[in-house]
Amino acid sequence: MKKLSYPFLSKILKTNIKELKKIIGQKEINGIKYRYPNHNEKKNILIRVLKKINLDTQIINAKYRKKIWFDGWNENKKKFIKTKDKKYLIPMYYAARKEKVFRLDGKFIISDKNFEIKIIKILRKWYAKKYMVKAENIYEFGCGTGHNLVDLNKILSDKNFYGLDFVKSSVDIINSFKQNVGPNFQGVLFNIEKPKVKFKIKKNSVVLTSGALEQLGGKINNFVNYLIKQKPKLVLHVEPAPDFYNLNTVEDELGITFHKKRGYTSNLISILNDREKKKKINIINSFKSPFGSLMMEGYNIIIWKINKKKKK
Ligand SMILES: C[S@@+](CC[C@H](N)C(=O)[O-])C[C@H]1O[C@@H](n2cnc3c(N)ncnc32)[C@H](O)[C@@H]1O
């Protein structure tokens, strides 16, 4: 098995090693081991992915999906409130990655079943320390169980955390954190597709979306306009997007095919590019998902700010 190294991590996070070493400890990267599949394993992975694409029937943003989200997070809510054990905040879809096959720097790798959970922690610490330290408030839209916020609170405990979602079971989990995690949490019911303009984002805030805009089937235009009006200090997306697949590899071709078949949001980058062209925002960092799951790359990083320069 290979070990994750600082030079490799700095390449996939587009961050220099010196800066990275200040943020991520040796112990954290030592915990990640992986190997590349051999010829026969790779053939079997490709067959498995193709079969999954052919058999998959999920339609993103279909009406029936809201109940699925509600029921899923309700299961987490019951277990978490009963036991107070934070392991019940880990969404089941991570825990269910039994195949142990993931993507790293665009290539299939074999690791242990917790690879994705461990490397997400590294990614989260990296963006928290690099982009969130000076903010007073963190808002996560489409926050699910709030596991990102709970982990961010460990890294940045002086912030106020707002978790927003369109299902009540998620909002209930976030509000339960006031008793179980800290008084600095608040859950809010919010539909990204129809943003409540009355809901104000406080001054000096960072907005996070992580695998949330993907769920809107492209209906994100109003939300981007809402954010621009609210003028947060920074917006950080961790989202899949077809734009980042380079299509010269079988991994990327399969990823984009799966993305399109399910109907995940495909227009985030074009909308942000349009707003940048209109001088409303500045995209300050954007790069391809450093890692991914068997089927796709869901962790592209896109970071933008309001353009404060007045148009001439
Ligand atoms: C894939 S989960 C991601 C959850 C969390 N951000 C994470 O990183 O684990 C997608 C989340 O988006 C929420 N969601 C889907 N459509 C939404 C909408 N129209 N408005 C607000 N939240 C929505 C779901 O309830 C779910 O919590």
Side-chain angles (χ1 to χ4, degrees):
M1 285 273 191
K2 281 172 167 300
K3 274 189 188 168
L4 197 64
S5 67
Y6 277 115
F8 186 75
L9 192 58
S10 84
K11 179 184 150 211
I12 61 176
L13 290 179
K14 312 277 179 247
T15 301
N16 74 56
I17 297 187
K18 214 172 143 196
E19 186 186 27
L20 196 61
K21 282 188 173 170
K22 281 190 198 147
I23 301 176
I24 311 291
Q26 185 80 55
K27 240 184 160 176
E28 289 155 278
I29 71 164
N30 276 353
I32 297 190
K33 298 188 183 71
Y34 63 96
R35 66 178 178 84
Y36 293 105
N38 64 31
H39 183 77
N40 208 31
E41 285 171 327
K42 176 117 183 229
K43 190 188 85 188
N44 289 334
I45 292 169
L46 298 181
I47 292 171
R48 195 146 29 118
V49 172
L50 282 167
K51 277 192 180 160
K52 274 190 172 240
I53 293 174
N54 281 332
L55 295 175
D56 195 80
T57 55
Q58 191 176 127
I59 304 163
I60 295 299
N61 203 33
K63 275 213 167 110
Y64 74 92
R65 296 275 309 151
K66 188 168 179 181
K67 184 173 176 337
I68 292 180
W69 286 120
F70 177 87
D71 291 345
W73 299 149
N74 211 30
E75 281 298 304
N76 292 76
K77 172 184 152 181
K78 281 191 226 153
K79 288 184 181 147
F80 176 69
I81 290 180
K82 193 170 165 201
T83 64
K84 318 220 178 347
D85 188 336
K86 295 197 184 80
K87 80 173 182 210
Y88 292 117
L89 298 177
I90 305 291
M92 314 247 183
Y93 41 77
Y94 294 133
R97 306 253 203 253
K98 287 194 194 82
E99 39 296 86
K100 299 179 188 165
V101 178
F102 301 90
R103 291 152 178 258
L104 185 61
D105 195 23
K107 295 191 180 69
F108 287 125
I109 53 135
I110 297 175
S111 183
D112 64 83
K113 71 177 172 51
N114 292 323
F115 168 83
E116 206 174 354
I117 297 171
K118 287 191 275 188
I119 201 158
I120 288 172
K121 248 181 174 329
I122 290 181
L123 179 73
R124 209 187 275 128
K125 192 164 180 196
W126 168 81
Y127 67 65
K129 293 268 187 169
K130 195 167 157 73
Y131 293 103
M132 294 177 168
V133 172
K134 289 187 183 149
E136 280 173 51
N137 311 295
I138 311 290
Y139 291 76
E140 183 182 356
F141 288 84
C143 65
T145 63
H147 68 110
N148 291 318
L149 298 176
V150 168
D151 201 46
L152 288 171
N153 180 51
K154 280 192 205 146
I155 308 164
L156 311 163
S157 58
D158 60 335
K159 317 290 175 211
N160 300 310
F161 292 99
Y162 297 87
L164 303 99
D165 206 285
F166 78 153
V167 293
K168 190 174 173 295
S169 47
S170 156
V171 175
D172 289 346
I173 300 178
I174 312 302
N175 281 327
S176 80
F177 293 161
K178 286 178 194 156
Q179 280 88 47
N180 299 329
V181 187
N184 52 334
F185 285 89
Q186 195 180 323
V188 179
L189 208 57
F190 188 98
N191 185 350
I192 297 172
E193 194 176 324
K194 295 178 186 146
K196 272 191 272 189
V197 283
K198 279 192 194 146
F199 182 77
K200 302 286 179 222
I201 294 178
K202 291 189 175 157
K203 266 194 177 165
N204 201 7
S205 298
V206 171
V207 166
L208 168 70
T209 75
S210 163
L213 299 190
E214 63 166 45
Q215 295 294 327
L216 274 287
K219 294 180 181 163
I220 56 166
N221 201 52
N222 291 343
F223 181 64
V224 172
N225 290 343
Y226 162 81
L227 289 182
I228 292 173
K229 280 211 178 97
Q230 293 294 322
K231 298 189 175 54
K233 191 179 163 69
L234 195 89
V235 181
L236 197 154
H237 302 292
V238 186
E239 297 283 346
D243 316 66
F244 291 95
Y245 291 111
N246 62 40
L247 302 184
N248 292 323
T249 64
V250 68
E251 285 90 342
D252 275 11
E253 190 65 56
L254 290 169
I256 200 168
T257 306
F258 184 66
H259 185 112
K260 292 203 164 154
K261 170 135 196 225
R262 279 206 167 169
Y264 288 111
T265 290
S266 287
N267 53 353
L268 174 60
I269 304 301
S270 62
I271 290 178
L272 295 180
N273 284 342
D274 170 73
R275 300 307 189 271
E276 189 168 50
K277 227 167 127 191
K278 291 179 176 148
K279 304 223 180 315
K280 294 190 173 191
I281 67 167
N282 290 121
I283 298 171
I284 61 165
N285 200 354
S286 156
F287 60 89
K288 182 173 165 51
S289 196
F291 55 89
S293 61
L294 172 69
M295 300 303 287
M296 62 193 281
E297 311 220 329
Y299 306 95
N300 304 296
I301 297 289
I302 310 113
I303 304 172
W304 56 272
K305 276 183 172 173
I306 300 292
N307 182 354
K308 289 193 179 138
K309 282 187 204 145
K310 292 245 158 64
K311 272 192 254 173
K312 283 181 191 157

